[in-house]
Amino acid sequence: MPEHQHGGHRERLRNRFLSDGLDSFEEHEVLELLLTYCIPQKDTNPLGHTLIETFGDFSRVCDAPIEELEKINGLSHKSATFIKMIPQLSRLYFEEFGGNIKTLDSIDSMAKFLIPKYIGITKEVVYLVCMNNNNRVLDCQIIMDGIADATEINMRKIVELIIKTDATNVIISHNHPNASYLPSNDDIVTTKFIENMLNRINVKLIDHIIVSGNNYSSLRQLDYI
């Protein structure tokens, strides 16, 4: 396609997005549009098709390791890095969007607060949410990457954060990347372990929320707390 035709096509794509949003786009067209911002003077439509055909769908493209993305013919390190930024930007947006949720007084509010924190995360990450007696959020931090069983829980880090924030109630959360949102036996054992340890310092474990994509489970709702 001649250079001037590339420009005209790209402009039409951008105008289509501005008028109709992404709902009118096929997944490969979304990638085609995004890649126009880091690949100059080249038809990015075939590359969009190739990415979807290789990885399956838009989210899998974004979650693919950068080394795998760079194997795609026509996708440079710069372009692959641009794609890897998309989940991170989405998480930042939704975390700040959900930042207005200051009091976690229901399972639904906990889920809305925590699910965005796992956008684009492909490994297990454990969060601790510290709250006061009214379940108002005082702090929320990653306390460890990965969790296998209760013996690996860093209770010292949990207690240090509780003391620092003067928290009386806490929520534990972790994700199941590419797995069921339902708790495993290890999750149940770990929850009991944390609950018992926190009881010794008069801190209440409000819930343990497990996230997988847009789905979640509450161990309190399942009567494990």
Side-chain angles (χ1 to χ4, degrees):
M1 185 183 293
E3 182 177 337
H4 71 280
Q5 291 185 29
H6 281 308
H9 177 64
R10 290 177 174 210
E11 189 65 25
R12 286 190 294 273
L13 273 178
R14 292 164 188 163
N15 288 337
R16 181 178 155 201
F17 163 70
L18 290 173
S19 63
D20 301 329
L22 290 180
D23 290 342
S24 67
F25 282 63
E26 298 291 335
E27 289 193 328
H28 73 274
E29 292 178 311
V30 176
L31 288 165
E32 176 188 2
L33 174 60
L34 288 170
L35 290 171
T36 63
Y37 289 94
C38 53
I39 300 178
Q41 301 178 359
K42 180 180 178 181
D43 183 6
T44 55
N45 181 276
L47 193 51
H49 275 288
T50 299
L51 287 165
I52 295 298
E53 289 167 3
T54 302
F55 297 104
D57 58 33
F58 181 81
S59 65
R60 289 186 174 89
V61 171
C62 293
D63 288 341
I66 192 166
E67 296 82 6
E68 294 300 315
L69 289 172
E70 289 177 339
K71 291 178 182 178
I72 301 298
N73 186 32
L75 201 67
S76 67
H77 178 73
K78 176 183 177 181
S79 302
T81 302
F82 181 76
I83 289 174
K84 294 302 297 179
M85 287 175 62
I86 296 168
Q88 305 286 334
L89 291 170
S90 299
R91 185 167 71 251
L92 178 62
Y93 171 83
F94 279 107
E95 281 187 353
E96 295 193 355
F97 181 80
N100 294 324
I101 304 174
K102 299 299 183 183
T103 301
L104 306 183
D105 54 3
S106 67
I107 294 173
D108 182 62
S109 64
M110 294 177 203
K112 287 180 179 178
F113 180 79
L114 288 163
I115 287 175
K117 296 186 180 298
Y118 293 102
I119 294 174
I121 300 296
T122 57
K123 60 182 178 180
E124 287 196 5
V125 170
V126 184
Y127 275 95
L128 177 70
V129 184
C130 292
M131 304 179 294
N132 64 13
N133 279 325
N134 296 318
N135 290 342
R136 182 173 178 80
V137 176
L138 303 171
D139 201 353
C140 177
Q141 291 189 22
I142 293 175
I143 56 171
M144 65 183 300
D145 294 340
I147 177 172
D149 55 47
T151 61
E152 295 189 21
I153 285 289
N154 189 337
M155 285 303 302
R156 178 176 178 178
K157 191 167 185 177
I158 292 175
V159 172
E160 285 177 350
L161 188 56
I162 287 171
I163 293 172
K164 178 183 176 182
T165 59
D166 198 25
T168 53
N169 296 339
V170 300
I171 300 167
I172 291 286
S173 174
H174 81 281
N175 59 326
H176 283 175
N178 304 315
S180 170
Y181 60 92
L182 296 174
S184 66
N185 289 332
D186 281 341
D187 293 332
I188 296 167
V189 171
T190 298
T191 301
K192 293 292 184 183
F193 173 79
I194 295 173
E195 184 179 28
N196 290 335
M197 294 296 290
L198 291 177
N199 283 339
R200 297 181 183 180
I201 58 172
N202 296 316
V203 173
K204 184 177 181 181
L205 178 62
I206 299 296
D207 212 332
H208 182 170
I209 302 293
I210 298 174
V211 175
S212 180
N214 290 321
N215 297 312
Y216 69 93
S217 61
S218 156
L219 273 79
R220 179 170 291 281
Q221 192 173 48
L222 295 171
D223 293 327
Y224 292 118
I225 296 177

